[in-house]
Amino acid sequence: MLKIRTLATMTAIVGACALAPVLAATASSVPAYIAAAVNDPARPAKDRAIDVDRRPAQAIAFAGIKPGDSVLELVPGGGYYTRILSKVVGPKGKVYEAIPGPVPMHMGHRTYNGLAKVTKLSHTATYANVVPLPNAGKSLRIPHKVDFVWTADNYHDFHNKFFGPLNMLAFNKAVYRDLKPGGIYVIIDHATAPGK
């Protein structure tokens, strides 16, 4: 049986109220290997600066990701979680990166080139267990079934910017197909208050 663990977050005050009980409950149970991954000096300073808001150690501990696991990360962005997940799963684990396409995408005020960012990471000795999957797209075809599917702050975009228009029911079925029996689908996302 497949399980879903969802960390639903809201922006501003709502976010602090919604997520705080979950993170407070897990703060004391962060394993040393997760703490070491988050405290890795190889992480960019700009990433470490937002840890206080994102609380990656607590989120990953809540999910239950451990050394040797395989993770499919959907739309890794700049690699904030990619670097941490890579260190958590270690040399015996894998972090597959599902990237919408091989070319940069224009998203409002900025251009997103996920393939270039993840490929650069994967070609370093520090993150050698990161595997870019360009054009993973709607089908989510990956080399092996994984222990976890992880997405952070992107699920709301799957309807439009990245893969859209997208049938979310079919997309989620594809996620479940790529999970091992007992695998976990972790969604961290945010939403604004109604009317904002």
Side-chain angles (χ1 to χ4, degrees):
M1 168 140 189
L2 297 174
K3 300 172 267 188
I4 302 174
R5 291 189 184 178
T6 305
L7 292 178
T9 63
M10 306 291 176
T11 55
I13 297 171
V14 178
C17 295
L19 193 56
V22 171
L23 296 181
T26 59
S28 62
S29 57
V30 172
Y33 57 86
I34 294 176
V38 171
N39 294 320
D40 179 10
R43 293 181 62 222
K46 65 179 180 58
D47 284 6
R48 293 193 308 271
I50 59 175
D51 287 350
V52 68
D53 293 324
R54 291 197 176 182
R55 301 184 188 187
Q58 290 85 355
I60 293 170
F62 175 77
I65 300 171
K66 62 191 181 309
D69 281 341
S70 54
V71 180
L72 171 62
E73 184 181 13
L74 305 178
V75 190
Y80 175 88
Y81 276 107
T82 308
R83 291 176 179 87
I84 300 170
L85 292 169
S86 171
K87 292 295 188 173
V88 168
V89 302
K92 293 185 179 178
K94 289 282 185 205
V95 180
Y96 297 100
E97 298 296 323
I99 303 160
V103 296
M105 296 172 49
H106 299 289
M107 295 170 37
H109 63 285
R110 65 188 176 100
T111 299
Y112 170 72
N113 190 339
L115 180 59
K117 289 176 183 288
V118 172
T119 300
K120 185 176 178 181
L121 266 182
S122 69
H123 287 152
T124 66
T126 305
Y127 303 108
N129 61 353
V130 172
V131 181
L133 300 175
N135 283 322
K138 299 175 186 180
S139 66
L140 287 181
R141 291 292 175 194
I142 60 175
H144 308 284
K145 288 186 180 286
V146 295
D147 299 297
F148 293 87
V149 173
W150 176 280
T151 183
D153 301 328
N154 291 315
Y155 192 80
H156 64 281
D157 287 322
F158 293 169
H159 301 75
N160 45 51
K161 292 180 188 171
F162 294 130
F163 304 128
L166 183 63
N167 178 324
M168 291 307 294
L169 180 60
F171 181 82
N172 287 326
K173 284 184 178 179
V175 168
Y176 298 145
R177 181 201 62 225
D178 289 338
L179 280 166
K180 294 177 182 177
I184 297 175
Y185 186 10
V186 182
I187 299 169
I188 302 172
D189 209 351
H190 57 273
T192 189
K196 298 288 181 183

